[in-house]
Amino acid sequence: MSQAIEQIAQSAGIGDIAAKVFEGTRLSKDDGVRLYKADVHAVGALANWVREKKHGDLTYFNVNQHINYTNVCNKLCRFCAFQRLPGQEGAYVMKPEEVAEKIEAQLHEPVTEVHMVAGIYPKLPYEYYLDILRAVKEKRPSIHIKAFTMIELMQIARRAKKPLAEVLPELVEAGLGSCPGGGAEVFSDRVRDLGYDKKNTGQEWIDTARTVHEAGLRSNCTMLHGHIETIEERVDHHDRLRTLQDETGGFQTYIPLSFHPANTEWSHLPGPTAMDELREIAVSRLLLDNIDHIKAYWIMLSIPVAQMALSFGSDDVDGTVVEEKIYHEAGATTPQEVKRGELVQWIRDAGRIPVERDTLYNVIWSADEALAKVGAAAPVASV
Ligand code: V47
């Protein structure tokens, strides 16, 4: 297998990079830049080799629900269609009881995770954040709460008037289980100045993630690609994530986020094509040698592109989601929810083995185990 890939890589001019990948040598930033320029199928084949070496055909998903507790935000990011100013039409802040109602509405489903992120609304007091965590746990004590991006955590600490290291144990006490990867955008100061100058800097995002990991929490990481960033800035972003991961080991999954332009201040930009998305996934699989999982977030990619991504380096597709606002405000045409059986079926259709995981990648249900038990393909309806 690796001989065939070696040949493909040779003819694409990346034979030396393939040799490094096969022997487990870390790729340099220059290698990263070349991967962005080389034939996408060759890069994808190499990334798929790494994916299969790490995970075989296993493809992870979970049964989760997303809650965006407020869309009020003072960061005014040009790429965002979700944010509203206080009092603007469509602006909302969920009361803790409303967050609890969202959880209650899914009690009949086998949800194991709630993913909770939102805008930065400075009027929300510290207690509000503790209260929404408690409200979730009261309704569904077994649920894992993956909440608050590094940007939200910086705001929460500001409101608590305490260092984040002191705030995190209190959030954990109230129910926080881990943190999602959003808010990183592109770490470059140049891009930040042009697109989201009111947001915290890339260095602050990295420092906050370090504090989170030092507190014993796992988190994810992301990069928002396909707008005004350069290839070099993308590679630098990966390099900074990889360096922090060497230090803490706290990242579970990397999620490349494709820019959706509709209804944003950057609506004149075209956004990435499917091939750009697949390349992004492949390059990240090759550069981020110390992060276990690369997620193909189907809400953002579409189900067909997410299926293809499973052969370009991804081994995870996120989950059932239920209600999504950030991408749908920005023109996403995907459904807001898929059922567990549908996820399982389309992972199988992509030639992979579905594995239901919890947030921390403990296996809840694996198709392999189910098949071994029944000796035949389990009907999808029973999953
Ligand atoms: O931080 C906002 C991005 C992120 C747009 O950790 C946009 O498991 C594209 O981080 N086009 C939130 N992207 C989503 C996120 C996430 C999603 C799924 C799973 C996980 C995880 C994390 O969405 C924001 C921002 O970077 N974003 N607007 C847009 N118009």
Side-chain angles (χ1 to χ4, degrees):
M1 175 65 174
S2 67
Q3 246 182 356
I5 297 169
E6 213 172 326
Q7 277 175 6
I8 296 169
Q10 284 288 2
S11 45
I14 53 169
D16 57 324
I17 297 182
K20 280 187 177 180
V21 170
F22 295 144
E23 68 193 25
T25 300
R26 174 162 284 189
L27 302 185
S28 67
K29 287 171 86 169
D30 282 348
D31 294 332
V33 171
R34 284 173 59 206
L35 289 171
Y36 275 113
K37 296 178 178 169
D39 175 74
V40 65
H41 296 101
V43 178
L46 202 51
N48 187 50
W49 184 85
V50 175
R51 181 255 200 256
E52 290 185 357
K53 186 158 179 274
K54 279 181 182 285
H55 305 289
D57 280 330
L58 301 185
T59 297
Y60 297 92
F61 70 95
N62 68 357
V63 180
N64 65 352
Q65 75 180 102
H66 284 210
I67 298 179
N68 303 121
Y69 55 87
T70 180
N71 61 356
V72 179
C73 192
N74 67 359
K75 298 297 178 195
L76 309 179
C77 302
R78 287 172 190 261
F79 59 78
C80 182
F82 171 66
Q83 67 194 329
R84 297 287 184 279
L85 293 170
Q88 192 182 339
E89 197 188 336
Y92 70 84
V93 183
M94 289 183 196
K95 296 191 178 82
E97 307 86 86
E98 291 173 283
V99 171
E101 278 164 24
K102 297 270 178 201
I103 297 293
E104 182 155 28
Q106 294 300 315
L107 284 178
H108 61 289
E109 296 284 356
V111 173
T112 59
E113 168 193 286
V114 58
H115 166 113
M116 212 157 57
V117 298
I120 303 298
Y121 184 23
K123 279 207 171 143
L124 292 177
Y126 175 44
E127 273 302 318
Y128 172 84
Y129 297 95
L130 297 168
D131 286 347
I132 56 174
L133 293 170
R134 292 185 192 119
V136 168
K137 279 290 189 185
E138 246 166 58
K139 267 297 160 218
R140 192 161 201 162
S142 64
I143 207 165
H144 179 106
I145 308 180
K146 179 182 72 171
F148 309 140
T149 64
M150 300 306 111
I151 309 296
E152 286 164 280
L153 287 177
M154 284 184 247
Q155 172 64 16
I156 295 170
R158 210 173 293 130
R159 291 299 274 152
K161 298 195 172 70
K162 290 193 258 202
L164 182 61
E166 286 176 32
V167 168
L168 285 168
E170 295 177 357
L171 295 174
V172 169
E173 173 76 27
L176 182 69
S178 65
C179 298
E185 321 319 351
V186 179
F187 291 144
S188 151
D189 290 333
R190 182 193 73 87
V191 180
R192 176 179 170 272
D193 288 349
L194 291 171
Y196 33 93
D197 61 351
K198 296 189 172 42
K199 205 161 207 164
N200 304 84
T201 63
Q203 190 55 48
E204 286 170 322
W205 191 100
I206 289 278
D207 292 341
T208 306
R210 181 185 295 106
T211 306
V212 166
H213 297 168
E214 283 170 356
L217 289 163
R218 309 298 302 277
S219 76
N220 293 337
C221 52
T222 58
M223 181 181 76
L224 177 67
H225 70 94
H227 42 90
I228 60 164
E229 81 287 4
T230 64
I231 286 174
E232 287 72 17
E233 285 162 344
R234 287 186 203 173
V235 171
D236 180 64
H237 188 99
H238 286 102
D239 184 56
R240 291 167 79 172
L241 290 174
R242 188 168 72 174
T243 303
L244 180 63
Q245 181 72 342
D246 278 343
E247 213 184 297
T248 68
F251 292 127
Q252 303 201 103
T253 312
Y254 171 76
I255 310 129
L257 298 170
S258 317
F259 172 53
H260 278 43
N263 308 319
T264 74
E265 280 192 43
W266 278 348
S267 60
H268 57 288
L269 298 174
T273 64
M275 295 320 286
D276 295 334
E277 292 175 318
L278 294 174
R279 179 192 295 281
E280 193 53 52
I281 280 166
V283 174
S284 61
R285 181 59 290 166
L286 292 165
L287 287 180
L288 299 175
D289 52 20
N290 53 3
I291 298 184
D292 285 342
H293 304 281
I294 305 289
K295 189 183 280 189
Y297 182 37
W298 65 266
I299 285 266
M300 163 196 87
L301 292 172
S302 79
I303 290 171
V305 176
Q307 281 181 309
M308 286 191 280
L310 298 180
S311 299
F312 275 74
S314 287
D315 61 283
D316 190 293
V317 296
D318 201 80
T320 47
V321 177
V322 181
E323 183 182 60
E324 201 285 333
K325 292 183 190 293
I326 297 173
Y327 281 85
H328 287 85
E329 296 269 349
T333 53
T334 45
Q336 298 213 11
E337 174 178 21
V338 291
K339 294 291 180 195
R340 178 162 63 169
E342 291 172 81
L343 267 183
V344 164
Q345 189 58 54
W346 68 252
I347 292 169
R348 280 192 184 138
D349 287 348
R352 300 301 193 184
I353 299 172
V355 178
E356 186 184 339
R357 59 164 176 86
D358 67 11
T359 309
L360 302 175
Y361 286 85
N362 298 303
V363 172
I364 293 176
W365 179 92
S366 109
D368 255 4
E369 283 168 27
L371 292 185
K373 270 186 207 147
V374 297
V380 171
S382 72
V383 176

